[in-house]
Amino acid sequence: PTECTPECDYALELAVLLAERSSASLTVLHIPEPGEDTAGAQQQLSHFTHEVPNDLPLRVLTVPGEVAETIARVAVDESAEFIVLGSEQVGDPEGQKETLRIFRYGTVPFIVVQRPLPRKKLEDIVLPIDYTDAKGGDTSWIPALCRSYAPMFHLVLPSVNEPELLERLELNLERTLGLLEKLGARWVRYDVPGRDEFSIEVLSYCQEVEADMVVVSSTPDPRRLDRYMLEPHERHLIQEAGDVPVLIVNPSQTAQPC
């Protein structure tokens, strides 16, 4: 999706990076505002996409509708593997509400880009492991990344003392490791010291290893079976991620954990 902002330029750069490495196509989506100057918007879109490599299959769509629902619907129609979204507001506590609403829809993973990419690669992926039952199977995005890259997955575990939570944590870790090993992916485990809130320690680790992406998994909204929600610590991680793109995964509510 694009509004032709600088943040959307950063997102386009990452989207091109992903598409080129996986021999995929790229779809640029514009959702017009009511009363928008059509000719002016088309000119902006043409300028926005002019640096996309000529050999990369490109579709440019203008689809009217409510933003969050339209993005989710078009992603399914286009069989998208990722939705790459440039956003300035998601890092602003006052303005992030509308952007966060977009993440409530659909199961195609979002990648949020807020600043220019410091590194033109996706080699170090920070993947926090949760002890929540609902988040044990959020791994469908991993094969898609592994087809394009051979990243190092940094599995970051929270400090947990309760036996029941520790058991859930180890189960989710086991599930994730099973898939990584099946794919032949590289991984390393890091247990946070537990001296601060988990999201803060995750962000600190991201800076330490110069992470190229950090992953956040949402939770199904108990009030709406077709919607998702982010916990406060997950919203904080997104807000403070800075130049590290954030992959937001909405788990399928019908698929079984792997």
Side-chain angles (χ1 to χ4, degrees):
T2 182
E3 297 175 318
C4 298
T5 63
E7 290 74 24
C8 291
D9 288 337
Y10 311 150
L12 180 64
E13 183 178 14
L14 178 56
V16 168
L17 199 63
L18 283 167
E20 284 186 318
R21 290 293 295 265
S22 61
S23 301
S25 61
L26 177 65
T27 299
V28 172
L29 171 65
H30 174 62
I31 302 173
E33 297 181 359
E36 181 176 274
D37 175 12
T38 303
Q42 292 302 316
Q43 185 175 6
Q44 279 189 309
L45 285 171
S46 177
H47 178 74
F48 176 72
T49 58
H50 80 282
E51 292 189 2
V52 174
N54 292 330
D55 59 348
L56 181 62
L58 172 67
R59 281 166 53 82
V60 180
L61 304 178
T62 297
V63 182
E66 195 279 327
V67 173
E69 295 177 358
T70 302
I71 291 174
R73 184 180 71 252
V74 171
V76 172
D77 291 345
E78 294 292 305
S79 300
E81 287 188 320
F82 298 103
I83 300 169
V84 187
L85 181 72
S87 177
E88 176 186 23
Q89 290 184 332
V90 76
D92 175 10
E94 297 298 323
Q96 67 175 199
K97 182 177 180 181
E98 184 60 34
T99 302
L100 291 176
R101 184 175 182 275
I102 295 173
F103 307 146
R104 288 175 52 80
Y105 289 76
T107 56
V108 177
F110 294 89
I111 302 177
V112 185
V113 184
Q114 302 176 63
R115 296 182 187 172
L117 301 178
R119 296 166 287 277
K120 315 303 181 189
K121 62 184 182 67
L122 285 174
E123 295 179 1
D124 289 280
I125 311 298
V126 171
L127 172 56
I129 302 296
D130 205 301
Y131 50 73
T132 306
D133 287 337
K135 299 183 179 181
D138 307 342
T139 53
S140 61
W141 55 274
I142 293 178
L145 274 185
C146 288
R147 284 196 297 272
S148 306
Y149 290 84
M152 171 71 77
F153 289 91
H154 298 257
L155 309 181
V156 181
L157 280 69
S159 178
V160 175
N161 296 318
E162 297 86 344
E164 182 180 353
L165 298 183
L166 184 59
E167 183 178 353
R168 294 180 187 175
L169 182 66
E170 292 295 337
L171 177 59
N172 287 342
L173 175 62
E174 182 180 334
R175 289 169 175 164
T176 302
L177 287 178
L179 178 59
L180 293 179
E181 292 173 355
K182 180 179 179 181
L183 295 169
R186 298 175 298 147
W187 61 272
V188 62
R189 171 174 174 165
Y190 175 72
D191 294 79
V192 303
R195 292 190 291 266
D196 214 329
E197 201 276 329
F198 186 46
S199 65
I200 295 176
E201 294 191 307
V202 170
L203 289 169
S204 176
Y205 182 74
C206 285
Q207 296 302 317
E208 180 182 332
V209 300
E210 297 186 342
D212 301 308
M213 186 176 292
V214 60
V215 182
V216 170
S217 293
S218 70
T219 302
D221 189 335
R223 301 163 298 181
R224 290 285 303 271
L225 294 179
D226 57 345
R227 300 288 186 271
Y228 299 87
M229 55 188 292
L230 292 164
E231 301 292 345
H233 68 278
E234 295 162 343
R235 294 197 296 269
H236 178 261
L237 192 152
I238 297 169
Q239 177 184 328
E240 299 296 331
D243 60 8
V244 180
V246 182
L247 174 64
I248 301 171
V249 182
N250 290 340
S252 169
Q253 300 187 43
T254 57
Q256 297 297 315
C258 37

